[in-house]
Amino acid sequence: MAEEVQIDKQVFHDRLGQFVSAWKADKRSGDALFSGVGSIVILLGKAEENAVFQKNNAMHFWLLGYEFPATLMIFTTETLYIVTTVKKAKHLEPLKGGKIPLEILVRGKDTEQNSKHWEKCLDVIKTAGKKVGTIAKDTSTGPFVDDWRKAFADISKDIEEVDISVALSAAALSAKDENELVNINNDRYPSSKAKCLQRSIRNASKACTLLMTDYFVEEMSEVLDAEKDVTHKVLADRIDKKIDDADFFKKLPSDFSVNQLDWVYGPVIQSGGKYDLKLSAMSDDSNLHAGTIIAGLGLRYKSYSSILARTYLVDPNKSQESNYKLLLSIHETVIKEAQEGVAVKDLYNKALGIIRTKKPDMEKHFLKNVGGGIGIETRDSTLILNGKNTRTLKDGMTLCITTGFSDISNPDPQDKTSKTYSLLISDTVRIRRDAPTVVFTNAAPSDLESTSFFFKDDIEEEQKEPKAKAKKDPKVGAVASTNITKTKLRAERNTQADEGAEARRRQHQKELAQKKQAEGLERYSEAIGDQNGVAQKKFKRFESYKRDNQLPSRVKDLVIVVDQKAATVVLPIMGRPVPFHINTIKNASKSDEGEFTYLRINFLSPGQGVGRKDDQPFEDPNAHFVRSLTFRSKDAQRMQDISEQITDLRKNMVRREQEKKELEDVVEQDKLTEIRNRKPARLENVFVRPAMDGKRIPGEVEIHQNGLRYRDHRGNNIDVLFSNVKHLFFQPCTHELIVIIHVHLKNPIMIGKKKAKDVQFYREATDMQFDETGNRKRKHRMHDEEEFEQEQEERRRRAALDKEFKVFAEKVSAAGTDENVSVDIPFRELGFGGVPNRSSVLMQPTTDCLVQLTEPPFTVITLDDIEIAHLERVQFGLKNFDMVFVFKDFHRTPAHVNTIPVESLEGVKDWLDSVNIPYSEGPLNLNWGTIMKTVIADPHQFFADGGWSFLAAESDNEDASEEEEESAFEMSESELAVSDESSEDESDFDDDASADASADASLDEESAGEDWDELEKKAKKKDRDSGLNDEEEDSGRKKKR
């Protein structure tokens, strides 16, 4: 035995006392459990290479925490006698002095002395009574065991041996105390040894679940996905070696030690129609088969065991799924019914009752028991959960619940080896008093969805589905609907106005404005707001040092010290070093006067009259402040260095605060839950914006259980959780160079070193094979027919690309249904040009947003966030106008879309009205910073004074002024008659002159006129621009072919 062995004395005596107390209580109640034995003999022989835990060595671990080979224990109700060797006796000596006396008999090389020890033990047994408790199935071997059995044979005729296994299980081993289980509050066993054993069973269970879910499932998926030939034994060996990998178990508690792990069962991998559901099963040399796969493993941590088994179904049929659901319901029922006071046989009969009710034909395939007791022993033979065991469950018992069906016939086998299959589920649980059963291994999912793998391509399933009948295009027919126009004049086709619709729009806008005003008054019913429209800054305390010994050592020299680490400038004042945090310093300047150099340090103080950026609150503005300090020195270079250090430190601090403020709204997402039981839906060969590390590298997007994962070819990942998705867009490549899936987030995330609120996955729609620049090789096509085929191929390719991205976007939406993720597609026909940032782009409305997804920086404006919209620079003669969106969150800066063509004005108004956004218009650009400052200062007063009605009033005043200006040019009928007469009298043209003029005019018309061919070309061009001639051109092309 190693010298570092330390036995916990308090645990030893507490458990010994507990055991003896149960023994005495049984004697008083009629000897039902201990059968009236006067003494109990626990014999342990030599150490075995492959340790098998039975009742004898289990009692050693339970009492001592270690196994003592070649040791005899004799229990009586008064004393414990231990016969062992000299070295072991040294570790047992400190245990003396407890409530129950301990007597140690040391064996050595002296034969006579050893015989005396045997004689004393035999006397103790005879004195205690005529019955002695022994372990019937004891398989101990060795010289020590042989000597004892030879000595015991002398009194065996007078003493009756009684199997004490059940009593040992009930009184000692089966019901675990708090020290053996998982409770953290362990006042009963405060010693270090007890604390070390607190989480033994839970740690063993965690190790089992980690190996099963994070290693075996991954290895199995990779083998099946790649269709590799890997045997069960090879796969089991990989799992076997994994328990030595300390890095793999870093996810477990910090006090977890891989050195305490050991195998008690398996690992056992079975598939391909050959299954053995016993604990003695072994992995064979057959290859892993993509069908029904049973994986089981059991680990021991600090002498306490846990077993876990799962069945994984690859492409299961309906019959297999139905049988697995039945097994799962039985398993869950057994765990639920396993409560304190329940008879063991009732658990098994409950399981049989479910089978007889739902599927009686499955009873013959059901296992003969539903598990057994587990702890120090891998399987407690006295606590087998079958239909005959009359023992009752008690608080603290730990069980391995195992349910299964063996050798089931498969009515629809995938191949020859799938004609028969078995199902098995095992979990380690703990019985609790007046509380649900605790499942230690529940981290390994057993539901059908988690244990079913589907490796067949989704494309095959789509091909099996009947194709939907194509809907007839209303644009195609005897008469194309687009050829029917409301007017014969081309110039009026795009400018027709429905006066009735305009009136309805005005009335609707009036109602929206009134509703918005009422909502504002209701929302801000009390006078609340920010003083002066600016959130009040809070006084901040800055602490440079907590203790004097943290000051730099150079301060002893009474010199100016710039401490970069503490962001502090230490100044010598009146013979003492005084620290000033850099945030209290405004600036530092150096000046030279004669042979001296002056360093002036200015501090922040109230009443300086500085800009609002430097304005900050003070705890007591009426206190006395030091405005500045000036130091003089002959060392000009040092003064220069100090000035630069202070300036640089100040800049770094300002930059750090700005970065911190910028990242305030960045959230750390939860961990992405990957799909492990099947291939995740994947979109390959896509690019991401913003690009990681600023480099454009292709990658793939995968849909997992709770989000998306983008992985590039370098192994970099971007995870987007569905819970953080605010909007999901799909933009086809029609009239665009790329096809897009765009994700707008609720909270920004970090991509590389930058934060991003928009993540976009795209693929270019152009095909390099048809590059007209000659950058790549292409097939030369010469005639119009080939060019037409090329255009057709381009259309087909774009349509296929749109379909692929749209299907993937719909899958994303389906996966994120619980988080209300839905796909939105921009309406290009409602789009209008504008400048939301730097460049002119096409702004496109969607169902819930106004977006621009083509060029970064992207624009996504949620319609529900908009309070009102205002159209600026709307006046006669201007070709463009601007649009401003004011948000319901008044602290948010209004969004601008500038330089919108005036031709889109009516369309923009119609769209705003259709989505119930009140709008107003005006001739000038407004100062929205000042307006929003006024609104924020007192929202209640703002709405009390009319709210946003001042914008509409401005628009009405402008209309009225235009009418007044027009009326100023009106003339009376008398003035008009006088002007006509004067024009006739004052005419200087005679008939000849007028004739000459008409001749000149006719010459000008002839010189500037156009022939019919040119006029026809212009007419066709205008029809083509308006989309009226598409059908004619298509029909013409078909005729040419």
Side-chain angles (χ1 to χ4, degrees), residues 40 112 155 204 237 338 406 596 810 829 898 903:
I40 298 173
E112 292 183 5
I155 64 168
D237 289 342
S406 61
F596 292 102
E810 290 172 348
E829 59 273 14
N898 300 325
E903 290 81 7

Side-chain angles (χ1 to χ4, degrees), residues 800-823:
L801 194 58
D802 285 345
K803 182 180 179 182
E804 181 183 2
F805 269 67
K806 185 177 181 181
V807 168
F808 186 79
E810 290 172 348
K811 289 181 180 179
V812 174
S813 176
T817 303
D818 295 340
E819 298 293 341
N820 297 322
V821 178
S822 59
V823 186

Side-chain angles (χ1 to χ4, degrees), residues 19 34 40 42 55 59 135 164-174:
F19 179 72
F34 285 81
I40 298 173
I42 303 296
K55 293 289 186 295
M59 284 296 293
I135 300 173
I164 204 68
S165 300
V166 176
L168 294 179
S169 174
L173 302 177
S174 61

